[in-house]
């Protein structure tokens, strides 16, 4: 009997039918309203782990997944998902993602693995460089490109730390880290993303971050200067956030640059702009990130903010040549001018992740993306104003981009609840939301660094952050009415 397991010219129609069903299922999934329908139970997990010994028809697997897997999946594409911006719902982005899996180009090497993909990936990197204000130079080899595509912000931040390490003490790649305490990195206290600290441990620099206090979720510049002076010679890098993971605050980029360079010109300046680079698309908003172009490296995460599916990130370098410091050469497949594999530490075979960014960019255009980012920021401002006009909510952050951290406090003019009670009730609101699975807002602990409720207390706010262009004022009003209902039930 003809096998339908491996694609060949005779079973093309069968494959198409199956894949059409998958596409239909994926679209329906993304377009459903609820964030999640069901919760995975303990008893299901055992079954999930069972090894399939024999063949199952693909049609049966598709039916099984539709009925027994999808209801348990989280849908980041619904407007009701207001926890992260990663909607992944641009039609161009999804098309590019699907196609890249078909094409199976391997960006480790250009000549035989990815002949045109390499140049299109270079194009994407050059477009992103332009967006953040870096200059592009003529490209004659991979070291002129000024960036690399990675699997996520964590990967981009890790390569940035590797570059900072080499810049601090040349040949650490060869000699190893002898005295980790001499490879310190400064991050802002309480708002840094864990990927910096973790990557430093991964690359042998140990747990040597120094956390500098913040004001309004930005570096306290006096404290930053003091820390730089006290640790002179031992600081390899200062990391600034252009939209931190919690409050999406943009730091004082130009000021940080001046302070750091005045103390030690050799310190590597890294901007984690996984979110904030998106403002560079908008003529109206790009001044908010001015100064970013002064930094030595910039992490960007198109999969978070450009409505493209997971995963894709780009690390951009002010000086393209700096990637020479972490180059890997092997004549196995990489020794050629345009082999990206030479400059992508931690990564071997690499799929054409940038194709979905290329599709979305080409499809929407720079201007169109800028308009999407503007609408996204407007929606956050709308929510912020709405909350500020209501007596029962306090907004904790200045809304720079698209994050609104807020807490229910009863009556903000006369708070009678204890801090513990405020945290408990806000955690309870979140718990109820998660149980019902209709809406999703994020929650985490954060220091009340501007004293909106109680200076330096640990708070558990509800956090709105969306990147879904379908969100409207009505969607936000509905979500607030939903929270009001929960609060009412909690008080009954
Ligand atoms: C500011 C920031 N940097 C880095 C990362 C890590 O990115 P990824 O999840 O793509 O690895 C995140 C993720 O949320 C982030 O918010």
């Amino acid at each position: 009997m003809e096998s339908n397991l491996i694609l060949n010219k005779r079973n093309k129609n069968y494959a198409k039918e199956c894949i059409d069903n998958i596409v239909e299922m994926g679209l329906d999934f993304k377009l459903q309203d609820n964030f999640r329908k069901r919760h995975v139970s303990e008893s299901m997990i055992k079954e999930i782990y069972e090894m399939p010994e024999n063949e199952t028809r693909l049609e049966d697997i598709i039916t099984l997944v539709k009925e027994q897997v999808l209801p348990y999946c989280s849908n980041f594409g619904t407007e009701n998902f207001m926890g992260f911006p990663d909607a992944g719902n641009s039609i161009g982005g999804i098309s590019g993602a699907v196609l890249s899996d078909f094409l199976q180009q391997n960006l480790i090497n250009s000549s035989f693995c990815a002949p045109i993909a390499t140049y299109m990936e270079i194009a994407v990197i050059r477009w992103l460089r332009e967006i953040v204000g870096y200059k592009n130079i003529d490209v004659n080899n991979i070291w002129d490109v000024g960036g690399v595509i990675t699997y996520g912000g964590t990967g981009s931040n890790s390569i940035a730390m590797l570059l900072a390490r080499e810049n601090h003490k040349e040949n650490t790649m060869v000699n190893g880290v002898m005295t980790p305490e001499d490879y310190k990195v400064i991050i802002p206290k309480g708002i840094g993303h864990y990927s910096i600290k973790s990557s430093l441990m991964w690359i042998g620099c140990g747990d040597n971050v120094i956390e500098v206090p913040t004001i309004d979720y930005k570096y306290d510049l006096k404290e930053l200067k003091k820390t730089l002076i006290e640790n002179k010679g031992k600081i390899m890098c200062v990391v600034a956030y252009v939209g931190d993971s919690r409050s999406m605050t943009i730091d004082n980029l130009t000021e940080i640059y001046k302070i750091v360079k005045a103390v030690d010109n050799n310190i590597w300046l890294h901007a984690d702009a996984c979110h904030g680079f998106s403002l560079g698309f908008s003529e109206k908003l790009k001044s908010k990130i001015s100064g970013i172009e002064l930094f030595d490296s910039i992490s960007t995460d198109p999969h978070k903010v450009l409505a493209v599916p997971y995963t894709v990130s780009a690390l951009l370098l002010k000086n393209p040549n700096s990637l020479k410091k972490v180059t890997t050469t092997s004549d196995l497949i990489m020794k050629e001018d345009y082999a990206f594999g030479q400059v992508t530490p931690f990564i071997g075979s690499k799929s054409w992740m940038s194709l979905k960014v290329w599709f979305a960019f080409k499809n929407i255009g720079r201007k169109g993306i800028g308009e999407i980012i503007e609408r996204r920021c407007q929606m956050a401002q709308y929510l912020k104003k709405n909350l500020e006009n209501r007596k029962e909510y306090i907004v904790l952050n200045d809304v720079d981009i698209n994050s609104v951290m807020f807490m229910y406090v009863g009556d903000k003019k006369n708070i009678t609840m204890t801090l513990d009670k405020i945290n408990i009730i806000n955690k309870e609101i979140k718990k109820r939301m998660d149980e019902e699975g209709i809406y999703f807002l994020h929650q985490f602990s954060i220091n009340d660094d501007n004293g909106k409720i109680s200076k330096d207390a640990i708070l558990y706010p509800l956090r709105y952050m969306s990147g879904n262009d379908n969100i409207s004022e009505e969607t936000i009003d509905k979500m607030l009415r939903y929270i009001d209902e929960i609060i009412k039930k909690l008080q009954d």
Side-chain angles (χ1 to χ4, degrees), residues 8 67 83 158 219 222 254 288 291 294 310 418 421 486:
N8 60 44
E67 291 169 2
S158 300
Y219 274 117
K222 275 195 195 134
T254 308
K288 281 189 172 222
L294 299 168
Y310 292 136
T418 61
K421 184 81 205 288
I486 293 181

Side-chain angles (χ1 to χ4, degrees), residues 37-151:
K37 291 192 171 147
R38 289 191 215 144
H39 292 271
V40 178
S41 65
E42 285 284 322
S43 59
M44 288 167 65
I45 298 174
K46 253 196 189 149
E47 218 178 298
I48 292 170
Y49 292 166
E50 267 171 34
M51 158 107 77
E53 196 65 32
N54 300 310
E55 202 177 306
T56 308
R57 288 178 346 132
L58 191 51
E59 302 89 305
D60 296 338
I61 297 176
I62 291 171
T63 308
L64 175 118
V65 167
K66 188 172 179 178
E67 291 169 2
Q68 294 178 42
V69 177
L70 262 54
Y72 298 88
C73 287
S74 310
N75 178 17
F76 282 26
T78 166
E79 300 96 271
N80 290 354
F81 177 68
M82 301 180 183
F84 300 100
D86 333 17
N89 61 355
S90 76
I91 302 177
I94 296 170
S95 305
V98 172
L99 186 62
S100 80
D101 276 355
F102 273 104
L103 298 181
Q104 185 85 344
Q105 302 296 288
N106 187 348
L107 270 291
I108 196 169
N109 152 295
S110 67
S111 60
F112 75 97
C113 293
I116 190 164
T118 297
Y119 297 105
M120 286 169 68
E121 183 145 310
I122 291 172
V124 168
I125 293 168
R126 287 172 70 85
W127 299 341
L128 292 172
R129 286 178 61 85
E130 226 180 293
I131 293 297
V132 297
Y134 276 166
K135 285 201 176 67
N136 279 319
I137 57 170
D138 289 345
V139 174
N140 294 308
N141 57 49
I142 220 67
W143 298 276
D144 292 333
V145 175
V148 284
I149 297 290
T150 75
Y151 287 96

